[in-house]
Amino acid sequence: MSKRPMAILFDMTVCAGCNACVEACREGHGFSDGKDEIHELAADAYCSLNEKEDYSYRNLCRHCIAPSCASVCPVGALEKRPEGPVSYDAGKCMGCRYCVTACPFSIPRYEWDNPIPAVRKCDMCWDHVEQGGIPRCAEACRYDATLFGPRDEMLAEAWSRIEEDPDEYYAHVYGEHEVGGTSVLFLTPFPLEELGFQKRLGNESLPRLTWDVLDKIPGFAVTAAAGLMALGWIIRRRDEVGELEARIRTDRVTANSKEVRHDDRR
Amino acid sequence: MTTAARPLRLSVWRGVFYALMALGIVLTYIRFTQGLGAVSNMSDRYPWGLWIGFDLLCGVGLAAGGFVVTAAVYIFDLERFKPIVRPAILTAFLGYLLVCLALVFDLGRPWNIWHPLIMWNPQSVMFEVAWCVMLYSTVLTLEFSGMVFERLGWTKLVRYQHALTFPLVIVGVVLSTLHQSSLGTVYLIVPGKLHALWYTPLLPVIFFVSAVTVGLAMVIVESRLSSRALGRQLEMPLLSSVGHILSGLLILLVGLRFFDFWNCGQLATLFDFSYESRLALLELGPLLILPMFLLASPRVRNNTRWLYGAALLVVAGFIVNRLNVAITAFESATGGHYVPSFAEVGITLFIVALGFGAFTLAAKHLPVYPDEEKEEASSAVVTPPTAHAEAPNQRRRIAIPTS
Ligand code: SF4
Ligand code: SF4
Ligand code: SF4
């Protein structure tokens, strides 16, 4: 079992739209209900296939290197494995759906109609990859459109395809840097944004945005507690002293006027 | 007291209450037997709906009065606010209970709600919020327990509870500061999905300041409501000075919001009158700037009705703000609209009604409001009717029956 980070490379320019990946994926995950055309991800469809201008393109979880979904999960039900996949453990999940909200690619789906629901998304066939195998979709692909291998090799392959045929490709490997890099790489004939398939995402890893704030919390909590305690003590002390002085003054006044009556209830 | 109108009005509300209970039980059954999809309009595009936007975000914020008032009294030693402490703690305690109840409906697997105790992911804001809410609920339970012990006449426990007050208040303030702001941090990870009018690195700060603000507004609203339902309330000079502090906080909040729009270069977007801009202007104009001006006037602050009205506007503004962040802000990126289903609204009303019921029961049977006779007597002696809001650092000992 290799711990080398693996990746899927999808090359849109050679995909024939044969749907073999979708079928293999659904069958392998036990969704054999005869529905085979998948245009939209769903709780029972981890990858989809769509067409645009004679090209077909897939959608699936990108298995981000710094996955938003795993970073937001309060119980660590989603986990980035050293081999590449972001896997999910329904037994831990409490169903807050923060992962669904947080994923920049809007990948995870929820089982809304199940009384015991789970989050559903491509798991890079973790059951196979864990054993050193390859994902079902890559296995099923006959056109070298979906490839699987170590991420550095997949990147090298992607760039060499671009260099060999620069007219065919848009010179960008999606996933090389987006949101800090992903373990699913896309080669396309035109910018992905033109598909309305993916918004322009920065190269910054998104979990950082949260972490920059969370990081400061332990220090803040300790300082705040100590500060408040000191503040409370000082203010109270000041008030007590003030009151004492006031009382001494009134005592003097009342003593002078020989009228011994004041209404201090303390 | 209007002898004829009162029982009638009460019985109408009682009817509404029982109707909501019945509805709630039916919807609860459907929710847990058929899943979230059967009762809600949530979807993969809108995985968070009314229950997160209102029940959680607004619930936690509206209960902020608990930590704000205890901090004012026990840390800043503003003793004249002492009569507010108990109603504020009671509201906060019930508020957090209701938030947890709402989560039981909202979580897909509520039986795993305790998992953050043993399955840690310190990278997750939600993990931090979960811990803060758990710990703060414990703090509130301990603070609340004083009233129960007193009622039961367990003097020894009352004394222990008193001794614990100061440390509890400190812990409560720290925990509240953390999770009130962290509810804003929750949205920092979706810069690509949240509309630019609401996405800002200052979200945690805005969430915190607005929570403090609405916590105080709720003190005024509640006092008014309980005076109607129970004939008990806080004295007006005290509420006016709450209004005074509230007006200062509103100025701060307005300043913060506009500084932030300017800082993020969103002032032009704010006034482009798009769908988002209109909802943002609603939240900022009539529901934030208007009450700010209203409360700046002593005439408003010293008039029961106007003060109540202004506080209601602040509460409404807060609710619109949280719903905007939780729902409106996602609409342009995810497409489509989310409108809560009948059942989502029904379960929310069910939870709110439970809260009202519990508050009424507690206010009736526990020493929540200062005993009226003694209070009248003491305020007659100690607080001359003219001295109030305008003299915040002139501290007075109001004799509180601590029995
Ligand atoms: S694409 Fe979304 S679901 Fe997949 S790893 Fe990245 S954040 Fe998680
Ligand atoms: S829904 Fe489950 S997997 Fe997703 S963030 Fe919540 S607990 Fe984690
Ligand atoms: S990696 Fe596995 S789960 Fe993911 S799309 Fe391919 S076959 Fe489906």
Side-chain angles (χ1 to χ4, degrees), chain B residues 233-290:
Chain B
Q233 62 184 318
L234 299 160
E235 37 172 333
M236 194 51 200
L238 199 56
L239 289 181
S240 306
S241 55
V242 173
H244 200 188
I245 299 181
L246 180 56
S247 90
L249 281 167
L250 285 171
I251 294 171
L252 175 70
L253 183 57
V254 169
L256 179 66
R257 293 297 304 269
F258 280 90
F259 164 77
D260 179 56
F261 286 129
W262 170 79
N263 190 31
C264 298
Q266 294 301 325
L267 277 172
T269 326
L270 181 59
F271 292 103
D272 70 7
F273 297 101
S274 61
Y275 171 69
E276 282 84 6
S277 133
R278 274 178 282 146
L279 278 162
L281 287 173
L282 169 69
E283 152 195 345
L284 292 162
L287 301 179
L288 186 62
I289 296 178
L290 176 64

Side-chain angles (χ1 to χ4, degrees), chain A residues 70-73 90-98 101 103 109-110 112 115 117 209-210 214 236 239 243 263, chain B residues 33 36-37 43-44 47-48 75 77 106 108-109 112 115 121 123-125 127 166 186 188 190 193 381 395 397:
Chain A
S71 98
V72 300
C73 177
K92 288 185 172 178
C93 174
M94 53 183 206
C96 66
R97 313 177 305 280
Y98 194 6
T101 300
C103 171
R109 295 294 185 265
Y110 205 60
W112 295 101
L209 293 170
T210 314
L214 277 186
R236 209 174 312 171
D239 287 356
E243 256 157 46
D263 192 23
Chain B
T33 49
L36 284 164
S43 61
D44 292 318
W48 286 347
I75 299 177
D77 208 25
D106 184 74
R109 297 172 168 238
N112 288 344
H115 274 183
N121 179 12
Q123 287 226 342
S124 162
V125 207
F127 171 76
F166 188 59
V186 160
L188 286 185
V190 285
K193 288 187 179 177
V381 174
R395 291 187 189 81
R397 301 283 174 187

Side-chain angles (χ1 to χ4, degrees), chain B residues 52-67 91-92 95-96 98-100 103 129 133 136 175-176 179-181 183 207 211-212 214-215 318 322:
Chain B
I52 293 292
F54 182 79
D55 302 33
L56 176 75
L57 291 187
C58 294
V60 168
L62 294 174
F67 92 89
T91 321
Y96 277 81
L98 297 179
V99 166
C100 295
L103 279 179
V129 170
V133 168
Y136 186 53
L175 289 172
S176 296
H179 71 268
Q180 294 286 2
S181 54
L183 286 176
F207 264 57
V212 173
V214 84
F318 174 84
R322 293 305 195 259

